[in-house]
Amino acid sequence: MKCKLLENIKINEDYYLLKFSREGIKAEFQPGQFVTVKLPQQVPGQRLGIPISIYQADTSTFTLFIKILGEGTRILAHAIQDTELDILGPLGQAFTLLTNKTVLLISGGVGYPPLRFLKDKLKDCQITWIHGGKFASDIFPCDHAYTEDGSRGEKGLVTSDLRDILNNQKFDMAYSCGPNPMLKAVASILKDYDIPLEVSLEEYMACGIGVCYGCAVQVVSNDEQPLYKRVCKDGPVFHADEIIWE
Amino acid sequence: MNLKTKLNKLVFQNPITTASGTFGSEMEEYVNFNKLGAIVTKTITKERKAGNPSPRLYETEWGLLNSIGLQNPGVESFITETIPLYEKYQTPLIVSFSASTQEEFMEVLSRLESVNSISGYEVNVSCPNVENEGLAFGVDAQVVNELTAKLRKLTKKELIIKLTPNVTNIVDIAIAAKEGGADSLALINTLLGMAIDPMTGKSRIMKKICGYSGSAIKPVALANVYRVAQAIDIPILAMGGAENYLDVLEFIYAGASMVAIGTANFYNPAITEKIISDLSQHFSKYNLTMDKIRGKSF
Ligand SMILES: Cc1cc2nc3c(=O)[nH]c(=O)nc-3n(C[C@H](O)[C@H](O)[C@H](O)COP(=O)(O)OP(=O)(O)OC[C@H]3O[C@@H](n4cnc5c(N)ncnc54)[C@H](O)[C@@H]3O)c2cc1C
Ligand SMILES: Cc1cc2nc3c(=O)[nH]c(=O)nc-3n(C[C@H](O)[C@H](O)[C@H](O)COP(=O)(O)O)c2cc1C
Ligand code: FES
């Protein structure tokens, strides 16, 4: 589907917000789902669509929140207004939506966008959001921020005070997105407190629609052979208990 | 326009099919399956196969590295869960399968023979043969010949042997398959490839050496198809980097009766339908038929 870029907003040197027209896309966008975006011109080594979470959506538009990591995201982030980009989606399984609960959101770096969309869709929930990043430029609106260099919020990792937070408040549910080592640490702490956790995972993708089995993540099984699920089709959202963390 | 073509026993409305492992029922949303010449399914094995650890994919300049490791649910689940998803279409269904011993190849084929909606088989001989020091079945002409002959006895349906390009002389293997009783040949499976992060030295793919596909391998695929077509008289299902109707024409001129689209499905899931429509326009415009151009490269 060709989607027109309506607006490109620079947040800082590394992060950009891209707002698209969703004309022609009938499916509803749900938090945790993603799209794949093809670059506006053919670039060697960057011909596959780039998977990006949905950051916001309404009846006529959807917005992506992009961090420049390599060549692909750099070109995307600099796409100019009115460009038509080839987009597939919305794809994948969404977060479970709750009403009237106490909820903890935990994100790291570019794990921020899917939780932002989730926050908008959690009805009548009491939400605490903790977010961490390397530098001040990786920090976005939240309740408690952490940076590795201490340049913004608390100095440390997003998990630094997690036990204190959990000792002080009861949560019905938690959601997390960020780098794998962070998710692994979060999952292990929340397990101690018996709080259900949904995580959104990232894996290298080719098709994005469940065909190629390239985006495998190992899940718990009672078979002696390992069991792999597809991040693009069976996820990207999984129950943390299901995942075998490397 | 008349895009009709055939392999040995099967007739197809057009020469475009899907390369095993790059297409599945998930594509229904993007492609009208009834428009395809045939559908080739992802390779299955007797028992469930877990596949390889991640990362399994890496995109190179003009190709793709993959190390899926034949992840599949096994033949029983394939018959009960997957086959019914295709039964609502008229398009001929070609089932790809593999195994690690000759006996197991025969068991899988016997099991598949009970399914009426299967039109033919593509035998994937690119996997390790545990009876022959783990060398791929497809690298040994004698083994290919024996295996083909054993499978031939079990089915009257179209029996396609899919060849690996990772051999000294693909023509020897092609002859062995033909003499074993193959109806047709599919070529090529992926080349061997690898990519390394130059900053750290870490392999991009967990299993390190893996399968290389996509437009980068098209010249290699064309050369293999051309050589086999020149050497022996047997229908060829060609694949390897075909992304558009012009690539398909090249393969037909080289000697292919059918062309499968693989990696290109990942750039655009609707690509097969577009190729068929472009090819049809081209055939109309130049008043072509398959017979007029197949193998006519000069
Ligand atoms: C489900 C999902 C949701 C995501 N959501 C966001 C988001 O909201 N915002 C955001 O900025 N980024 C998001 N990403 C990450 C984004 O896809 C990568 O940053 C991007 O692919 C990097 O491409 P590049 O060319 O810039 O970098 P490269 O230099 O090519 O690679 C940098 C890193 O990205 C990974 N990567 C490269 N290509 C792919 C691919 N085809 N599929 C998956 N990973 C790849 C590589 O493993 C590498 O670690 C998401 C990824 C997934 C899987
Ligand atoms: C992700 C992926 C999975 C594949 N899986 C299979 C498979 O299960 N069985 C098989 O015979 N070939 C498999 N192949 C090889 C393709 O069918 C094809 O022979 C090869 O990719 C060359 O064609 P292409 O360049 O158009 O992709 C796979 C290729 C890719 C890229
Ligand atoms: S990217 Fe192909 S199955 Fe997930």
Side-chain angles (χ1 to χ4, degrees):
Chain A
M1 181 69 61
K2 289 267 183 215
C3 296
K4 191 173 186 169
L5 180 58
L6 301 175
E7 210 177 357
N8 181 340
I9 303 166
K10 179 173 174 175
I11 302 173
N12 58 44
E13 281 308 318
D14 294 335
Y15 291 90
Y16 290 74
L17 276 179
L18 270 60
K19 187 179 200 172
F20 291 91
S21 160
R22 56 166 295 178
E23 203 182 315
I25 301 181
K26 286 184 216 87
E28 203 187 322
F29 287 77
Q30 297 166 42
Q33 289 186 303
F34 65 100
V35 294
T36 63
V37 189
K38 285 181 66 174
L39 297 184
Q41 71 271 31
Q42 284 216 3
V43 177
Q46 307 282 351
R47 301 175 66 215
L48 294 168
I50 298 179
I52 304 285
S53 302
I54 296 153
Y55 173 70
Q56 268 175 335
D58 57 33
T59 49
S60 60
T61 69
F62 64 93
T63 305
L64 308 178
F65 185 104
I66 292 172
K67 176 179 187 174
I68 299 182
L69 213 70
E71 187 62 6
T73 43
R74 194 185 60 73
I75 295 171
L76 255 194
H78 293 110
I80 47 177
Q81 201 179 316
D82 292 336
T83 311
E84 302 229 319
L85 292 173
D86 239 321
I87 291 186
L88 220 56
L91 304 170
Q93 309 302 319
F95 288 115
T96 307
L97 291 182
L98 298 175
T99 354
N100 211 351
K101 297 278 193 243
T102 310
V103 168
L104 179 61
L105 306 181
I106 308 160
S107 51
V110 79
Y112 187 86
L115 297 192
R116 168 60 203 274
F117 191 21
L118 174 67
K119 182 171 181 270
D120 291 348
K121 296 282 173 176
L122 288 170
K123 284 211 189 79
D124 305 321
C125 286
Q126 197 192 327
I127 297 170
T128 305
W129 189 344
I130 62 176
H131 175 77
K134 271 204 165 67
F135 313 112
S137 56
D138 296 314
I139 301 304
F140 313 104
C142 63
D143 299 312
H144 304 283
Y146 298 84
T147 46
E148 288 177 27
D149 63 355
S151 57
R152 185 98 177 262
E154 305 286 324
K155 183 170 164 55
L157 301 175
V158 73
T159 44
S160 303
D161 302 331
L162 187 52
R163 284 183 191 275
D164 290 341
I165 293 171
L166 295 168
N167 288 336
N168 284 324
Q169 197 183 345
K170 273 187 134 16
F171 292 95
D172 299 308
M173 177 82 180
Y175 302 89
S176 189
C177 184
N180 264 352
M182 178 201 112
L183 293 178
K184 181 180 177 176
V186 166
S188 125
I189 295 171
L190 289 194
K191 210 172 169 69
D192 292 345
Y193 290 80
D194 233 357
I195 299 167
L197 168 67
E198 283 184 357
V199 291
S200 175
L201 302 183
E202 283 189 14
E203 194 47 71
Y204 207 106
M205 294 182 179
C207 71
I209 57 175
V211 168
C212 73
Y213 285 78
C215 58
V217 57
Q218 194 179 351
V219 297
V220 175
S221 96
N222 38 27
D223 200 352
E224 59 196 50
Q225 263 200 92
L227 184 63
Y228 293 102
K229 286 195 170 179
R230 298 162 297 183
V231 169
C232 71
K233 185 79 181 177
D234 307 313
V237 174
F238 292 92
H239 285 284
D241 289 346
E242 214 187 332
I243 305 301
I244 298 182
W245 302 101
E246 286 147 31
Chain B
M1 192 57 213
N2 188 9
L3 289 175
K4 256 205 191 136
T5 186
K6 59 198 279 276
L7 290 177
N8 191 30
K9 292 171 177 149
L10 293 174
V11 175
F12 307 95
Q13 60 179 344
N14 67 62
I16 302 303
T17 183
T18 59
S20 177
T22 66
F23 194 88
S25 59
E26 294 84 357
M27 305 285 251
E28 272 175 331
E29 208 179 308
Y30 309 96
V31 179
N32 177 353
F33 288 10
N34 279 328
K35 292 268 174 73
L36 298 170
I39 294 168
V40 181
T41 53
K42 180 172 162 56
T43 299
I44 52 155
T45 50
K46 186 178 165 211
E47 309 291 348
R48 172 173 93 80
K49 215 161 152 36
N52 292 334
S54 287
R56 293 178 172 185
L57 294 168
Y58 186 75
E59 189 179 7
T60 63
E61 285 80 352
W62 293 102
L64 181 68
L65 293 171
N66 91 81
S67 162
I68 311 300
L70 292 188
Q71 177 170 352
N72 81 91
V75 66
E76 289 309 324
S77 163
F78 176 78
I79 290 173
T80 53
E81 309 287 325
T82 311
I83 290 273
L85 302 174
Y86 293 101
E87 281 176 338
K88 53 181 177 287
Y89 301 105
Q90 279 94 57
T91 309
L93 186 67
I94 295 172
V95 172
S96 166
F97 66 96
S98 194
S100 49
T101 64
Q102 296 200 12
E103 185 60 35
E104 211 173 87
F105 267 106
M106 293 163 71
E107 282 177 57
V108 179
L109 179 55
S110 305
R111 187 65 191 92
L112 291 169
E113 275 290 282
S114 68
V115 185
N116 287 330
S117 52
I118 297 176
S119 299
Y121 306 102
E122 190 180 88
V123 188
N124 178 355
V125 292
S126 298
C127 48
N129 177 357
V130 298
E131 295 160 328
N132 191 8
E133 293 168 1
L135 275 177
F137 286 87
V139 303
D140 186 326
Q142 180 66 32
V143 172
V144 168
N145 181 268
E146 274 171 37
L147 176 64
T148 310
K150 287 179 185 167
L151 297 177
R152 178 73 286 166
K153 290 204 184 85
L154 298 174
T155 183
K156 293 197 164 56
K157 293 181 182 173
E158 181 91 23
L159 184 64
I160 309 166
I161 306 293
K162 181 168 178 179
L163 307 182
T164 164
N166 306 316
V167 295
T168 315
N169 185 357
I170 200 164
V171 172
D172 292 344
I173 314 287
I175 292 170
K178 186 183 173 182
E179 288 178 348
D183 285 305
S184 44
L185 301 176
L187 58 153
I188 58 175
N189 211 319
T190 47
L191 296 172
L192 294 178
M194 185 173 182
I196 297 171
D197 181 340
M199 301 313 288
T200 64
K202 190 171 190 277
S203 167
R204 302 281 193 183
I205 300 278
M206 184 58 88
K207 282 268 179 166
K208 303 189 176 79
I209 293 180
C210 57
Y212 185 32
S213 65
S215 67
I217 75 165
K218 192 185 75 175
V220 179
L222 277 168
N224 280 292
V225 168
Y226 183 75
R227 285 182 65 204
V228 171
Q230 292 294 306
I232 59 174
D233 186 18
I234 188 167
I236 294 175
L237 161 52
M239 68 220 40
E243 292 193 352
N244 55 47
Y245 79 101
L246 296 169
D247 296 335
V248 168
L249 286 164
E250 283 194 77
F251 277 107
I252 299 169
Y253 274 112
S257 298
M258 291 285 280
V259 180
I261 310 301
T263 303
N265 288 300
F266 306 151
Y267 306 130
N268 172 6
I271 194 68
T272 43
E273 254 196 87
K274 165 141 176 62
I275 292 175
I276 293 165
S277 113
D278 290 349
L279 194 64
S280 170
Q281 275 183 31
H282 181 86
F283 269 45
S284 291
K285 185 168 171 197
Y286 295 98
N287 197 20
L288 301 179
T289 62
M290 287 294 289
D291 283 340
K292 275 192 193 164
I293 64 171
R294 192 185 49 252
K296 299 286 166 60
S297 174
F298 57 94

